Amino acid sequence: MVHEELREIRDPVLRRVQNHRFWAGLRDGTLPGAALTHFVEQDTFGLLPAYARALARCAAAAPDDGDVLLLGHSIVGTLDARDRLRRAHRELAGRLGVPAYREAPPIDPATRAHTSFLAAATADSFHAGLGALLPMVWFNAEVSDHLVAAATPGSRYLPWIEAYHPGADYGYAVQAFLDMVDRAGAAAGPRGRRLIIEQFSIGVRYEWAFAEACAASAGGHRDQLPYEEPTRKGAAT
C-alpha cells in the first residue's frame, strides 16, 4: 500500500518536527509567548483557510463520490479547527501570559510558500493534491498526540496543549484519509502514484518549516532542515 511507502518518507521528518524547539518549548513551557501567538495567527488566518480551499479543489477533481464526501467533511473540520483554535487562544491568552492575536496579521513567507504549494498541487491533479494534503492531516495527529503524551508536568502551556488536540475521533479521520490515498494509489498508473509520493515528500518539509518560522518569529537563530539527508532509506531528496 502506498501509505506504507509514505510512512518511510514521513518518519525521519516527523521525529525532527516533534523534537523541534517550537513543539519542545510548548511541552516544557519554555516557548516564548509571542511564538505561540505567531503560530495561531499564521495557522488560523493563513494556513487553515488555504488548506480548506485546497481540499475543495481536490474534492472537485476526485473521481469517486465517496472521496468527495470525505474531503467535504475535511473542509468543515478544517474550518471548525480554525475557529476552535482562535477561541481557545482568546480564552487562554491572559492565563498563559501570551499576546493576543491580531485580526488581520501579515502572512509570513514560510506560510505563503506552504499555501502556494497546496494551491499548485491541488490545481495540478487529484493525485498530486492528495500527496500535498496528506502531511498536514498525518502530522497534526502525530504531533498533537505527542504533545499530550510528552508534556512536562506543570508546563504553563498544558491548557493550550489540551485545547490544541483535535480529539480522539481525529484518528478515524486520519485513517480514512490514508485509506483514500491507498485506493487512489492502487488505481493510479505509474504517473499518478509518483505524483502522490513526490508531492508528499515536498509537503512534509513544510511541516518542519512552519514550526521553524514560528519559533524564529520570537527572535534567535534559525535552524536548517538537513536537505542533504534522505527522508527515507535509499531515497534521494
Side-chain angles (χ1 to χ4, degrees):
M1 292 184 288
V2 70
H3 92 264
E4 294 174 348
E5 188 170 356
L6 298 178
R7 188 187 299 274
E8 293 182 23
I9 298 169
R10 181 206 69 172
D11 282 353
V13 183
L14 176 62
R15 287 192 292 271
R16 291 182 182 277
V17 169
Q18 290 175 327
N19 293 325
H20 190 276
R21 59 197 171 109
F22 177 83
W23 298 111
L26 273 176
R27 291 194 302 271
D28 64 18
T30 60
L31 182 75
L36 175 57
T37 297
H38 185 80
F39 172 87
V40 171
E41 289 179 344
Q42 297 302 308
D43 197 34
T44 68
F45 288 93
L47 190 52
L48 289 177
Y51 189 77
R53 289 174 173 81
L55 286 165
R57 281 188 291 272
C58 198
D64 182 84
D65 288 348
D67 294 339
V68 175
L69 181 61
L70 173 60
L71 291 163
H73 286 314
S74 297
I75 294 168
V76 175
T78 297
L79 295 177
D80 283 347
R82 175 202 62 186
D83 297 342
R84 175 175 59 82
L85 294 179
R86 288 183 191 171
R87 183 169 59 251
H89 191 274
R90 285 196 303 269
E91 293 172 355
L92 292 172
R95 178 179 169 187
L96 298 178
V98 303
Y101 67 75
R102 294 166 289 181
E103 288 293 340
I107 303 303
D108 72 20
T111 306
R112 198 165 297 283
H114 195 169
T115 60
S116 296
F117 161 71
L118 292 171
T122 52
D124 180 80
S125 71
F126 177 63
H127 296 99
L130 286 183
L133 291 166
L134 178 58
M136 271 189 66
V137 177
W138 217 353
F139 274 66
N140 185 30
E142 297 290 340
V143 169
S144 59
D145 281 350
H146 188 251
L147 275 178
V148 171
T152 301
S155 168
R156 67 168 172 145
Y157 289 123
L158 286 178
W160 171 258
I161 289 171
E162 293 173 2
Y164 179 74
H165 195 280
D169 289 346
Y170 190 68
Y172 296 108
V174 176
Q175 187 58 56
F177 209 105
L178 291 171
D179 291 344
M180 175 174 59
V181 170
D182 281 338
R183 290 194 304 272
R191 181 178 183 275
R193 186 181 178 91
R194 176 174 54 80
L195 282 172
I196 293 173
I197 295 169
E198 286 180 352
Q199 296 304 302
F200 182 85
S201 299
I202 297 169
V204 296
R205 302 290 189 173
Y206 281 108
E207 296 300 315
W208 188 92
F210 190 66
E212 175 59 22
C214 291
S217 70
H221 69 284
R222 281 186 176 268
D223 292 329
Q224 297 292 323
L225 184 66
Y227 282 86
E228 72 276 9
E229 293 184 9
T231 54
R232 126 178 100 126
K233 186 177 180 181
T237 56

